[in-house]
Every structure is written in C-alpha cells, then in structure tokens.
Amino acid sequence: MAKEFTQIESQGPNGWTVWTVTGRIDTITADTAYAMGESILQKNTKMVLDMSDMDYISSAGLRVLLRLNKLAKKSGKEFNLSGASGIVKSVLEDSGMDTLFTTWGSLDELK
C-alpha cells in the first residue's frame, strides 16, 4: 500500500536544505509538491530532494523536477536528488532524468 503524500523541509549536512517527500509525486500531488519545492528553493542556495521514502513518481512528477531544476539553474542555485530506489530510480533512469541531475545514494554523501 502506498504511503500518504507528505513533505518536510529540514537542514542537512554541508549547508544543504533537505526536502523530503514521502509517498508519490503524481498528477494529484504535483502542484502541491512544486509549490513547496519552489518555496524552499527561493530561500536556499542548495536544495536536495530526499526520495528515499518515495513510492512512485509519474510524468507529472518528472515535470516538477524539471521545472525546479530550471528555476535553480536560472537563479544560480543547486537542486540535487538523493536516495532514489526501486520504481522511482527505474523511472528516473528509464526517462533519462538521472543524467540531468546530480544524484546521491543517500544524504550522507552530500558534499
């Protein structure tokens, strides 16, 4: 059974702001996810999306990642991904999205 969609902001290692999403980013949650991701990115220079508790990401979720990446680059900021596994990792790899982002196996690897 899928986890309920939740997201939190916290401080991570080496000055990174961690945006943790639990559950899914899909057509139902994409607008909410983008709004929070945009808010976090606007007030921080280094943001990482912790995907370790994500169950699924749809094409709408991939668009969220692309839009946030574009915003980060335009603003001279960093937006990375961390902890993708299972179907989420497969979707990122199959779509080629894993090549567009710096990805980390876990938050412990952040530099």
Side-chain angles (χ1 to χ4, degrees):
M1 183 168 181
K3 298 175 191 140
E4 183 178 334
F5 173 76
T6 60
Q7 48 186 348
I8 59 168
E9 174 185 356
S10 62
Q11 291 306 305
N14 300 316
W16 286 91
T17 298
V18 178
W19 175 35
T20 302
V21 174
T22 301
R24 312 164 59 98
I25 302 180
D26 55 20
T27 54
I28 295 169
T29 61
D31 289 341
T32 303
Y34 180 77
M36 182 163 189
E38 179 184 38
S39 173
I40 295 169
L41 193 56
Q42 286 178 344
K43 58 187 176 182
N44 296 281
T45 57
K46 296 183 348 180
M47 181 174 95
V48 61
L49 171 57
D50 178 10
M51 306 174 96
S52 59
D53 284 331
M54 282 182 61
D55 297 325
Y56 180 74
I57 189 164
S58 71
S59 59
L62 294 178
R63 281 191 301 278
V64 168
L65 300 184
L66 286 172
R67 289 176 64 199
L68 290 172
N69 194 44
K70 182 178 180 181
L71 178 63
K73 287 183 186 296
K74 181 179 175 183
S75 306
K77 300 180 179 191
E78 290 186 69
F79 175 55
N80 292 187
L81 307 177
S82 175
S85 63
I87 188 117
V88 173
K89 185 175 182 178
S90 295
V91 169
L92 291 173
E93 291 172 347
D94 292 348
S95 66
M97 294 282 286
D98 61 323
T99 63
L100 300 177
F101 295 89
T102 299
T103 58
W104 305 95
S106 73
L107 295 176
D108 295 333
E109 298 175 9
L110 290 174
K111 296 179 183 176

